[in-house]
Amino acid sequence: MTGHTADHAPLPDVPSPVGHTTPPAAAPSTLPPATPPPPASSRRVLLIGGTSDAREIARRLEDIGVRVTLTVLTGYGAELAAADATEVLDGERDAAGLAAAAASAGAHMIVDASHPFATVVSKNARKAAELAGAGYVRFERASHLDAASEDRVILAESHEEAAAAA
């Protein structure tokens, strides 16, 4: 058998050990057999909104056949998102309310695309996933500071230091 890695030359062919005709026995597995995910058309997610990214996520999931129930805080948010998801729910929900919404939607996953500073919402979404027996994924946009050019951003420890640097 030959093989190689990006930093090394190919490995030489190595003959099988003499007299060895069967591979070694694998350790018994304690994991249950893997079950394939359901087809996209039967997949459902509860998407916690609060950002424009949430609407884009909803559209992309819907485009591949995943049914999305999108939660938003306000009626205005619901109006904006109406065309992006199978169902849009508006209003504030605690963990139990989000779990109930996930169960009602038949969601197997809760996707948290709430605002980065909405820490209570994210905490409730994690708890809701636990209560509903659903998976949890948090979406976070990359920081603009990470991508910012050093010549345009000055980091300061205080207001005074920032004012002096300006």
Side-chain angles (χ1 to χ4, degrees), residues 17-120:
V18 177
H20 186 78
T21 57
T22 59
S29 174
T30 58
L31 298 175
T35 56
S41 61
S42 66
R43 292 186 206 162
R44 297 172 186 258
V45 300
L46 180 70
L47 176 60
I48 313 296
T51 63
S52 58
D53 294 320
R55 292 179 52 216
E56 178 67 21
I57 292 167
R59 282 192 296 272
R60 288 183 183 212
L61 289 172
E62 291 278 352
D63 285 348
I64 62 169
V66 177
R67 295 191 56 175
V68 176
T69 298
L70 175 60
T71 68
V72 296
L73 188 59
T74 65
Y76 177 66
E79 287 176 31
L80 291 175
D84 301 321
T86 300
E87 180 180 20
V88 178
L89 306 174
D90 66 330
E92 190 171 349
R93 287 172 177 74
D94 60 9
L98 289 171
S104 177
H108 73 283
M109 178 72 62
I110 294 178
V111 178
D112 180 1
S114 62
H115 192 277
F117 300 133
T119 57
V120 172

Side-chain angles (χ1 to χ4, degrees), residues 152-165:
R152 296 183 306 167
V153 175
I154 299 170
L155 300 177
E157 295 292 325
S158 68
H159 294 285
E160 293 79 17
E161 185 180 333

